[in-house]
Amino acid sequence: MNKKVDQAGRFLRYSVPIHLINLITAILPNCTPTVAIRGFLMRPFFKKCGKGFRIASGVIINNPERIEIGDNVYIAHNNWINGVGGLRIDANVRIGPMSVIVTSQHAFENGKMTSGYIPAPVRIHAGCWIASKAVITDGVEIGADSLVAAGAVVTKSFPAQSKIGGVPAKLIGKPGDA
Amino acid sequence: MNKKVDQAGRFLRYSVPIHLINLITAILPNCTPTVAIRGFLMRPFFKKCGKGFRIASGVIINNPERIEIGDNVYIAHNNWINGVGGLRIDANVRIGPMSVIVTSQHAFENGKMTSGYIPAPVRIHAGCWIASKAVITDGVEIGADSLVAAGAVVTKSFPAQSKIGGVPAKLIGKPGDA
Amino acid sequence: MNKKVDQAGRFLRYSVPIHLINLITAILPNCTPTVAIRGFLMRPFFKKCGKGFRIASGVIINNPERIEIGDNVYIAHNNWINGVGGLRIDANVRIGPMSVIVTSQHAFENGKMTSGYIPAPVRIHAGCWIASKAVITDGVEIGADSLVAAGAVVTKSFPAQSKIGGVPAKLIGKPGDA
C-alpha cells in the first residue's frame, strides 16, 4: 500500500475524530462529568485506551494511533502530546495543565537542522503525577509512582518513586516528602 | 443541605457563567476594550472582584467562588487558575500569559498518590507582576510590589519587593534592577 | 493624523484579520495542509512574511504590524508572541508549542510597577530551533542555527550555533550534541 495513502487513512481514522470531539465538547463547562464524557468519546481513537479515561479541554494530540493509555488516566487542560515516536501512559497517571510530551526531535547535520526527525518512545509508568507545565522529552522513561514537579523539563529516565524537579530535571526526593 | 447539591449549585452560580463568557467573548479580537468587557462580565462570578478587572481569552478558572480579586487586576491569555484552596489577588496585580496558580496538591500515602487533595491558600499582594509562564504553588504568599520572572516556579513565600526567578524560584534581586 | 486613530487603523488592518483567520481555521484538524493554509492566509497581515509560512492553531499574535518573518518559518500551537517592541524571525526558524516571545517589559519607578512599557526588539536568526515552552525576553538576539532547549528562559543574547537551556538560559553545548 502507498505510504501517503496509509498515512491519510490513519489521520482520518484517529486524529480527525479526536479533533472533532475536542471542538464539540469545548462548549461544555469544565467539571467531572465533562472530562469523563470527553474521555469516553476519545477512547476508540487511540492505539489503546483503558477505562475511566478523563481529559480536559484544549489538549493537542498528535499521532494518537501510536499512544497507549492505561485505566483511570487523567489529562488536564491544554497539554500538547505527540505520539509519533511511540508513547505509553500507564494506569492511574495524572498529568497537570500545559504539560508537553514529545517523542521525537529535529535532526541536525553539520550543525544545521535538517527536515528529518529522530523518534524515541516515552513511557510513564503507573501512578505517576506529572504536575503542571512539565516537559517530558523523547526517549524518557519515568518509573511508577513518581512525581514530576511543576515546570520540570525531564530529559533522562528516572526509577520508580522518584520526585523530579528543575530545568533540566534532577532527583529532588521521594513523592510525599514535605 | 446535601453537599453534592450545594456543590452543583455553586457550579451553576459561578463556574458556568464564567465558561459561557469565555466562549462568547472568544469571537472578539484581543484589544483593550475586549479584555475590559470580558472582565466586567466576569466580575459577579467570583467570591469578590474589584473594579477595572481585565482578562484575556482562554483563561481556565476553577472554583471562582473561592477567588477574591482586587481593583485593576489584569490576567493575560491562557492562564490556569484553581481557587479550590482559596486564592486572593490584590489590587494592581498583573499576570502574564500561560501562568498557573494552584491552591491544592494531590495527597500521598506510603509513597502512592491517593484520590485526595490537600488544599492551601495562595495570596498575591498588591502591585505584583507575575511574568509569563510562571507557576505559583499551593500555600505561597508573595509580598507587595514583587516581580516573579518568566518561567519561575514559586514553591515558597517571599516578602514585599522581591524579584524572584528560577525553578524552583529564588530571590534574585529587587524589581526595577537592570 | 491622530495617534489613537492611527492605532485603531493598524489594529483593523493587521490584528483583526489574524484573529479571524485563527477563529475560522480552528475547525480544521491539525495536519500539514492546515498549518500551510493558515500560514498562507496570515501572510499579508504581518509587517513582512516570507514564503512557506506555517502556523498551528491557538497562537496569540500582538502587534503583527511590527513582526518580520523570513521564508519557511514554522510556529507550533499556542505560542504567545508580542511584536510591540519589534520582532524579526529569520528563514527556516521553527518554534515549538507554548513558547512565548516578548518585546517589552513593564516599567518600574521607585520599586513600583508603572503603567508604562519599555520596548526592546528581539531577533531570531536563520535556522534556529526554539523547542517547546521556551521564553525569549525583550532585547534578546539569538544567533543562526541555535537550539533553545525546552523550557529555557532566554534573558540575554547568544551567538550562532549555540545550544541554550535552563532558567535563566545558559550555553549548554552545540546543536546536534548527544
Side-chain angles (χ1 to χ4, degrees), chain B residues 5-21:
Chain B
V5 171
D6 188 35
Q7 212 175 351
R10 282 202 309 274
F11 185 73
L12 290 170
R13 159 72 179 84
Y14 295 97
S15 295
V16 169
I18 284 185
H19 175 70
L20 294 175
I21 293 164

Side-chain angles (χ1 to χ4, degrees), chain B:
Chain B
M1 199 199 302
N2 183 303
K3 198 188 162 195
K4 284 267 176 190
V5 171
D6 188 35
Q7 212 175 351
R10 282 202 309 274
F11 185 73
L12 290 170
R13 159 72 179 84
Y14 295 97
S15 295
V16 169
I18 284 185
H19 175 70
L20 294 175
I21 293 164
N22 262 332
L23 274 185
I24 292 163
T25 60
I27 65 163
L28 300 172
N30 184 43
C31 56
T32 308
T34 295
V35 296
I37 289 166
R38 189 182 289 112
F40 179 78
L41 294 172
M42 282 191 187
R43 278 185 71 196
F45 306 108
F46 290 95
K47 182 176 176 183
K48 281 189 192 169
C49 184
K51 292 180 184 172
F53 179 52
R54 293 167 297 139
I55 182 166
S57 65
V59 178
I60 305 290
I61 299 168
N62 292 328
N63 295 95
E65 75 278 8
R66 296 183 189 173
I67 300 176
E68 295 175 71
I69 297 173
D71 290 341
N72 300 312
V73 166
Y74 174 67
I75 299 177
H77 293 88
N78 292 341
N79 275 256
W80 188 95
I81 297 172
N82 191 338
V84 69
L87 171 62
R88 185 165 159 184
I89 299 172
D90 287 338
N92 305 314
V93 167
R94 295 184 197 165
I95 305 179
M98 285 189 256
S99 289
V100 166
I101 303 175
V102 297
T103 57
S104 68
Q105 61 174 288
H106 293 298
F108 282 80
E109 271 181 32
N110 305 319
K112 300 266 180 188
M113 181 165 51
T114 71
S115 62
Y117 282 85
I118 305 168
V122 165
R123 180 161 177 192
I124 301 170
H125 284 262
C128 285
W129 171 25
I130 315 296
S132 57
K133 300 188 68 185
V135 179
I136 315 291
T137 64
D138 43 297
V140 162
E141 184 162 354
I142 300 178
D145 298 311
S146 292
L147 193 175
V148 176
V153 176
V154 187
T155 58
K156 57 176 190 171
S157 297
F158 288 88
Q161 301 224 332
S162 299
K163 183 176 179 180
I164 309 162
V167 182
K170 293 172 186 164
L171 190 68
I172 56 173
K174 290 265 176 203
D177 286 357

